[in-house]
Amino acid sequence: MSGWGAWFGGASTKKKEAPKNAILGLRSTMDMLSKREKHLMNQMDEQDAIARKNVNTNKTAAKAALRRKKGLEHTLTQVSDHMLTVERQISSIESANINKETMDAMKNASVAMKHIHNGLTIDKVDATMEDLSDQHAIAEEIGEALRGGPGANAVDEGELEEELQELQERELEGRMVGGSVPVGERLPGVAQGERESARALYSGSDEADIDKVKHASPSRQEDEEEEELRKLQAEMAM
């Protein structure tokens, strides 16, 4: 069995090496033709020298040398044609071998892609993406549950309104005590809070006096503030 495997493997290797061996053989032939070309050119130079030497003294020898030179030129032309043919064959084999290697690489890539996509379809991809989306949604719900539910951090709008109203009342009371604004200035919707704050601030006064202070005209309030300022200056002078 091993012998059969080696035989088939050897045949495959020989088939793969065939283009390489052909190119090597052609290059060897090209080297031989190149050497032949140089030898012919040297012989032609020798015959030309003989003809020149005997052109005036021995015309018969000179013509014989020229005749041999013409034969060598014909042979040289044939050698040059052979060399051109061999070069074309080498180029053709190299191009064909490159094409074959490229096709083999593309086939291997196709097989690899088929192996990667084995059993993979658009429907399966869509189903997988839907499953991922569902799992993300479940993860979000679990996270919300761990944080105490969707309404854990919800803010009561009623409480916000009450806190805002309380801040408005405190600001108004501070401005009333400091005298920076007229007592009669009111914020919308906090009339009752102003009454309660006024009671806490001016303990012992009745509600009618507080309303009187709140509704006092700005000019009267300014006069009272000037009077208080003069009293304070007089006390400091003493």
Side-chain angles (χ1 to χ4, degrees):
M1 182 64 69
S2 60
W4 284 101
W7 187 84
F8 281 112
S12 177
T13 302
K14 289 181 179 179
K15 183 177 179 180
K16 187 175 181 180
E17 295 292 331
K20 181 179 179 180
N21 293 332
I23 292 174
L24 292 176
L26 290 172
R27 290 192 182 281
S28 177
T29 302
M30 179 65 73
D31 292 338
M32 182 270 295
L33 291 173
S34 179
K35 292 179 181 179
R36 177 65 174 169
E37 181 183 36
K38 291 180 180 179
H39 178 68
L40 290 172
M41 292 177 66
N42 290 331
Q43 287 184 331
M44 288 173 59
D45 292 339
E46 291 177 359
Q47 297 301 319
D48 183 72
I50 293 172
R52 290 176 182 276
K53 181 179 180 181
N54 298 304
V55 65
N56 294 322
T57 59
N58 190 348
K59 293 183 178 179
T60 302
K63 288 182 179 179
L66 291 175
R67 193 177 295 111
R68 287 192 295 271
K69 181 181 177 182
K70 290 292 184 182
L72 292 172
E73 288 179 351
H74 179 70
T75 303
L76 181 61
T77 301
Q78 291 179 343
V79 171
S80 298
D81 292 339
H82 292 334
M83 291 178 66
L84 181 60
T85 302
V86 172
E87 287 179 352
R88 289 176 179 174
Q89 289 297 321
I90 292 174
S91 178
S92 298
I93 293 174
E94 288 178 343
S95 297
N97 190 48
I98 290 173
N99 293 336
K100 182 180 181 303
E101 293 293 336
T102 302
M103 286 300 301
D104 290 341
M106 294 176 67
K107 287 180 181 179
N108 293 333
S110 177
V111 172
M113 292 292 288
K114 288 180 180 179
H115 178 72
I116 294 172
H117 293 155
N118 184 26
L120 187 63
T121 62
I122 297 298
D123 294 336
K124 290 183 178 180
V125 173
D126 292 338
T128 301
M129 296 305 295
E130 291 179 1
D131 291 340
L132 287 174
S133 179
D134 294 339
Q135 293 302 318
H136 283 306
I138 293 173
E140 289 292 335
E141 293 178 359
I142 293 174
E144 290 291 341
L146 292 175
R147 289 192 294 269
N153 297 326
V155 179
D156 189 354
E157 292 295 332
E159 293 181 359
L160 290 178
E161 290 294 335
E162 292 179 0
E163 292 183 7
L164 179 61
Q165 183 174 347
E166 183 178 352
L167 291 175
Q168 290 173 335
E169 292 174 359
R170 292 178 181 177
E171 177 67 17
L172 182 59
E173 290 174 6
R175 294 169 66 186
M176 288 172 61
V177 173
S180 59
V181 296
V183 180
E185 182 179 346
R186 296 172 180 268
L187 293 174
V190 295
Q192 184 62 31
E194 291 174 358
R195 290 178 178 273
E196 294 175 357
S197 299
R199 289 195 189 97
L201 184 63
Y202 303 106
S203 59
S205 301
D206 56 8
E207 185 175 351
D209 293 337
I210 295 173
D211 289 339
K212 185 176 180 180
V213 172
K214 290 182 180 181
H215 290 86
S217 61
S219 60
R220 183 177 177 182
Q221 183 177 355
E222 291 176 0
D223 293 340
E224 292 177 354
E225 291 176 354
E226 291 291 337
E227 182 65 24
E228 291 291 333
L229 181 59
R230 286 193 295 270
K231 289 181 179 181
L232 182 59
Q233 291 174 344
E235 292 177 1
M236 293 178 64
M238 293 176 63

